């Protein structure tokens, strides 16, 4: 029987600027997404009904899981998918509630995997609006690499890949809920787009030597909720990170280092200083979700 396998990467936000509040309750943002080398995997084979099992992190495996919601959305919106079933197995490597986009990446993985498994005649451009309905970060994972997100974050433009860089990812033993972080945000929300003009932001990153514009406007709220995340961030800066920031709405804090830096030993030092945190060396990657035949 045909079985397919999706590798679903994590992301960090190299910059996240909140530029306004919207009538629909969301916030208008401009963000620079970057896929990173930390993965969930999703395996699917044809079956009579739709079932999901989850291995790894304690994540909901019922109808609320974004993988199941993605499958149900395909069935609802695509006549060819009606009545199709699949046995899905999700193996979590990306911590949940961590600002790394794990659930969103899994949802994008489910859309791509099931489109292929069920032989649906959907183009990538047909999947984008479905992805956006599942969550603001989901469309990014259809694209991956380095990309600009606008609107809620769901309007994605692929950018030339940044030169590969090593990263340290630090996830504390708790997650943060995105709605709570946005609700806590009380700083002026009219940053204005003039100082966030996108080409300079990107070019400065690509040159690799100017991170002045790279900030995360959600940090104010995140640090109000969990001050220890600021301590971790400052420690990464002291270790020589070119850029140290909270990713998205947290709780992960990352440090972006110069090519050639031994991030494994920095991660090990940081684990010593911050007991209970999961600290990993990683690197930027130039892809989104990858689907291939399962080999087992
Ligand atoms: O789109 P997603 O389901 O990931 O968003 C989760 C929550 O985060 C939203 O319900 C909203 O409270 C908040 N959010 C926001 N502005 C965004 C993205 C998310 O206010 N751009």
């Amino acid at each position: 029987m045909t079985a397919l396998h999706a590798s679903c990467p994590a992301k960090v936000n190299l910059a996240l600027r909140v530029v306004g509040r919207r009538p629909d309750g969301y916030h208008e943002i401009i963000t620079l997404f970057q896929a990173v080398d930390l993965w969930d995997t999703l395996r699917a084979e044809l079956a009579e009904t739709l079932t999901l099992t989850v291995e790894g992190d304690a994540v909901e495996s019922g109808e609320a899981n974004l993988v199941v919601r993605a499958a149900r959305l395909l069935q609802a919106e695509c006549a060819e998918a009606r009545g199709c079933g699949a046995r899905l197995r999700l193996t979590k490597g990306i911590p949940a509630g961590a600002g790394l986009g794990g659930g969103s990446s899994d949802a994008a993985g489910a859309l791509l995997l099931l489109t292929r498994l069920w032989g649906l005649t959907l183009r990538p451009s047909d999947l984008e609006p479905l992805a956006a309905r599942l969550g603001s970060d989901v469309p990014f994972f259809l694209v991956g690499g380095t990309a600009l997100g606008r609107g809620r974050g769901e309007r994605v433009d692929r950018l030339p890949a940044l030169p590969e860089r090593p990263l340290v990812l630090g996830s504390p033993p708790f997650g943060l809920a995105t709605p709570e972080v946005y609700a806590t945000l009380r700083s002026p929300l009219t940053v204005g787009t003039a100082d966030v003009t996108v080409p300079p932001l990107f070019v400065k990153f690509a040159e690799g030597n100017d991170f002045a514009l790279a900030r995360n406007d959600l940090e104010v709220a995140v640090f109000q909720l969990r001050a220890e995340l600021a301590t971790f961030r400052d420690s990464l800066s002291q270790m020589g990170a070119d850029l140290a920031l909270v990713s998205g709405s947290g709780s992960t804090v990352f440090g972006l280092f110069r090519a050639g830096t031994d991030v494994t030993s920095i991660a090990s030092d940081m684990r010593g200083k911050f007991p209970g945190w999961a600290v990993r060396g990683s690197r930027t990657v130039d892809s989104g979700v990858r689907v291939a035949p399962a080999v087992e």
Side-chain angles (χ1 to χ4, degrees):
M1 184 191 288
T2 322
L4 292 173
H5 181 276
S7 301
C8 309
K11 60 85 182 160
V12 293
N13 301 79
L14 295 174
L16 195 158
R17 309 297 295 265
V18 178
V19 294
R21 200 178 270 139
R22 304 169 18 146
D24 64 5
Y26 279 85
H27 294 75
E28 192 75 16
I29 64 167
I30 300 179
T31 187
L32 191 59
F33 288 114
Q34 174 63 55
V36 301
D37 186 21
L38 176 67
W39 306 82
D40 284 348
T41 60
L42 185 62
R43 186 184 188 282
E45 58 190 28
L46 286 170
E48 292 283 305
T49 57
L50 191 74
T51 55
L52 172 69
T53 53
V54 183
E55 291 168 12
D57 216 353
V59 170
E60 159 78 47
S61 65
E63 292 291 321
N65 188 294
L66 273 173
V67 167
V68 177
R69 287 176 47 204
R72 297 281 182 227
L73 189 60
L74 274 180
Q75 290 174 330
E77 296 296 323
C78 178
E80 297 163 286
R82 237 154 263 160
C84 291
R87 192 171 304 116
L88 293 156
R89 192 174 75 214
L90 175 64
T91 307
K92 294 293 294 178
I94 307 172
L100 294 171
S104 301
S105 191
D106 302 342
L111 290 177
L112 290 168
L113 199 63
L114 294 174
T115 294
R116 200 151 137 191
L117 188 77
W118 292 342
L120 310 178
T121 50
L122 291 172
R123 291 159 302 176
S125 58
D126 297 323
L127 290 180
E128 283 166 24
L130 299 183
R133 281 168 62 182
L134 291 165
S136 306
D137 288 348
V138 180
F140 164 70
F141 291 100
L142 298 174
V143 172
T146 308
L148 195 73
R150 281 180 268 205
R152 294 185 280 130
E154 91 289 7
R155 279 176 23 225
V156 175
D157 290 306
R158 179 91 199 243
L159 295 170
L162 288 181
E164 187 186 306
R165 272 177 173 266
L167 289 152
V168 171
L169 301 173
S171 305
F174 53 84
L176 284 173
T178 305
E180 190 186 359
V181 172
Y182 274 102
T184 306
L185 190 69
R186 278 191 255 278
S187 59
L189 287 180
T190 46
V191 179
T193 49
D195 67 333
V196 206
T197 36
V198 167
L201 177 67
F202 174 67
V203 168
K204 280 167 192 285
F205 268 108
E207 288 168 352
N209 55 13
D210 188 342
F211 296 92
L213 289 172
R215 64 172 206 235
N216 179 352
D217 289 337
L218 295 179
E219 280 189 340
V220 183
V222 168
F223 296 156
Q224 201 175 314
L225 293 166
R226 291 288 194 164
E228 61 266 53
L229 300 192
T231 314
F232 191 95
R233 184 198 63 177
D234 295 345
S235 189
L236 279 176
S237 297
Q238 280 156 19
M239 298 282 227
D242 276 339
L243 174 68
L245 279 183
V246 168
S247 181
S249 57
S251 58
T252 295
V253 182
F254 70 90
L256 188 71
F257 288 83
R258 234 154 271 148
T261 307
D262 179 4
V263 285
T264 310
S265 85
I266 294 174
S268 154
D269 283 0
M270 291 295 283
R271 270 194 295 276
K273 286 190 196 165
F274 294 86
W277 284 59
V279 190
R280 308 170 172 83
S282 183
R283 65 189 175 93
T284 58
V285 293
D286 180 21
S287 79
V289 169
R290 300 173 188 158
V291 177
V295 277
E296 263 173 51

